[in-house]
């Protein structure tokens, strides 16, 4: 039986996580500089292979007669269906596209434990077929309900009981958060941080790292996966809204956000995949004739370290490298970031707070300057001296093939008055975002990834 954790105050948690973030060079298990080599060793210890195949070669997957929806014979996992979206304004007021429908809620769980008085986190070297380099650091548990109920008839998910049946007082963070609203239809995962006092056997593809070590690793391209980043956004850091430079109090921010949700009328309905206008199905892809946005493809996978050693599945493959950025500034020494109340067709509730810029620039290249995403050119042309952070990170590797974005924190110019902001944009403090991320469906997954850079110390907005 798991040992109950003694009651902790919020201030105590903040101090303990800050102490862990300050330990960057070596934890109780590995030196930080040794982690990439350990990852390479884990990669070499297993057989990994991903190859593209035609849809007809998928095992257990097929296009349904009458709808063309692509699903698994078990009726579980997920389906690829059509989505019709209407937002009423902007350069793209309505559109149709394929989308992943996966109604079950997965668990993304990070296990924490003290060693020598410092919190460490149990990270997994996990293979995902869509990752650019296949193996990346993931949370302790990263599993869909279909996986952990073993629809695939594979092995048990290690450490799952810590999250399905957490000990009293052990939960540090727990919220339902959205996945990519552009490619999933109303998909949520349970994001959890759980602290244990029990002895924890360490499996061969796992290691304990401090928060500061993970922050250091986040400065490298494609090493810490999206599922880890979204959970790390929930690390308690304190610094919530207050008078020291915070431009809006809690009630004002929530009122503004509620008004943004209210002013948007978003129509989003599932339609048969065969009925999606402007897309065509071939032997190997479902894609647009102009090659824009993304395509649906099929892959066969070998993965010696996974619960199942081999399988095949569909994946979504974006057409281009994304850009995901916060503009930042400091008022009275207090850092702020510029958020965008963003509409995405797959969101559960019209809008969520996203980054200042979130797009694939090539998809907007043909638009006139006044219809391009606001601040895109500001970010793309920022001089090196204004860039506080830059790295390429993968999006969800279990459903997307080589989906990568360049994540940026860019200092804004000093001549941008608040009253000149486009509708839907607002300056907020990272502490405000930290308060909101404790609740579900306020921050989208890209904003949470950027926030994780600050909670781990991978980037700092104060010198």
């Amino acid at each position: 039986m798991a040992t109950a954790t003694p009651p902790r105050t919020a201030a105590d948690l903040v101090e303990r996580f800050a102490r862990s973030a300050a330990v960057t060079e070596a934890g109780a298990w590995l030196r930080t500089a040794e982690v990439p080599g350990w990852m390479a060793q884990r990669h070499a210890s297993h057989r990994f292979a991903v190859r593209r195949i035609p849809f007809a070669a998928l095992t257990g997957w097929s296009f349904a007669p009458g709808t063309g929806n692509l699903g698994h014979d078990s009726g579980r996992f997920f389906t690829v269906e059509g989505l019709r979206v209407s937002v009423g304004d902007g350069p793209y007021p309505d559109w149709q596209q394929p989308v992943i429908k996966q109604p079950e809620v997965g668990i993304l769980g990070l296990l924490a434990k003290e060693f020598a008085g410092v919190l460490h986190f149990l990270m997994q070297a996990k293979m995902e077929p869509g990752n650019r380099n296949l193996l990346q650091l993931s949370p302790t548990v990263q599993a869909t309900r279909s996986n952990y109920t073993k629809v695939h008839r594979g092995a048990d998910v290690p450490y799952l009981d810590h999250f399905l049946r957490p000990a009293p007082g052990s939960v540090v963070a727990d919220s339902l958060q959205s996945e990519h609203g552009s490619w999933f239809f109303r998909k949520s995962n349970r994001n959890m941080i759980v602290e244990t006092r029990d002895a924890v056997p360490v499996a061969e593809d796992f290691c304990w790292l401090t928060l500061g070590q993970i922050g250091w690793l986040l400065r490298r391209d494609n090493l810490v996966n999206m599922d880890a980043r979204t959970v790390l956004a929930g690390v308690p850091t304190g610094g919530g809204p207050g008078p020291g430079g915070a431009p809006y109090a809690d009630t004002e921010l929530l009122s503004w956000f509620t008004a943004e949700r209210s002013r948007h009328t978003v129509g989003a309905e599932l339609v048969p995949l065969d009925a999606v206008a402007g897309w065509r199905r071939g032997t190997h892809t479902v894609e647009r004739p102009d090659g824009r946005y993304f395509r649906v493809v099929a892959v066969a996978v070998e993965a010696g370290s996974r619960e199942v050693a081999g399988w095949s599945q569909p994946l979504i493959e974006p057409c281009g490298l994304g850009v995901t950025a916060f503009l930042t500034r400091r008022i009275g020494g207090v850092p702020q970031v510029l958020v965008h109340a963003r509409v995405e067709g797959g969101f559960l509730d019209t809008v969520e707070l996203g980054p200042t810029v979130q797009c694939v620039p090539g998809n907007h290249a043909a638009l006139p300057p006044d219809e391009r995403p606001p601040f895109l050119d500001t970010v793309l042309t920022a001089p090196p001296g204004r860039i506080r952070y830059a790295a390429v990170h993968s999006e969800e590797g279990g459903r997307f093939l080589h989906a990568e974005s360049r994540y940026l924190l860019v200092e804004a110019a000093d001549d941008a008055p608040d009253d000149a902001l486009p509708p839907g944009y607002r300056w907020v403090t990272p502490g405000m975002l930290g308060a909101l991320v404790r609740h579900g469906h306020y921050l989208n997954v890209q904003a949470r990834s950027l926030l994780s850079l600050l909670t781990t110390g991978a980037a700092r907005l104060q010198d």
Side-chain angles (χ1 to χ4, degrees), residues 14-57:
V14 169
E15 191 278 330
R16 293 171 69 223
F17 276 85
R19 190 161 64 241
S20 181
V23 178
T24 60
E25 293 187 3
W29 289 73
L30 287 172
R31 297 189 63 81
T32 312
E34 296 171 343
V35 174
W38 176 79
M39 294 282 290
Q41 181 187 50
R42 300 318 311 152
H43 194 291
S45 298
H46 303 285
R47 164 70 178 171
F48 295 128
V50 177
R51 58 187 176 86
R52 296 170 187 263
I53 58 174
F55 291 123

Side-chain angles (χ1 to χ4, degrees), residues 158 341 380 435 444 449:
L380 293 180
N444 77 356
S449 276

Side-chain angles (χ1 to χ4, degrees), residues 220-232:
R220 298 175 62 111
D221 292 351
N222 285 324
L223 203 155
V224 180
N225 81 354
M226 184 218 79
D227 300 281
R229 299 194 305 269
T230 180
V231 178
L232 290 164

Side-chain angles (χ1 to χ4, degrees), residues 238-248 327-338 388 411 427-433 454 460-463:
Y248 315 106
L327 283 181
T328 75
R329 71 177 186 182
R330 281 169 286 180
I331 299 294
V334 177
Q336 300 167 8
V337 298
L338 186 61
R388 309 280 298 192
E411 285 187 354
W427 288 103
V428 300
T429 66
M432 290 177 173
L433 297 185
L454 305 179
R460 300 187 187 280
L461 301 184
Q462 291 175 296
D463 296 323

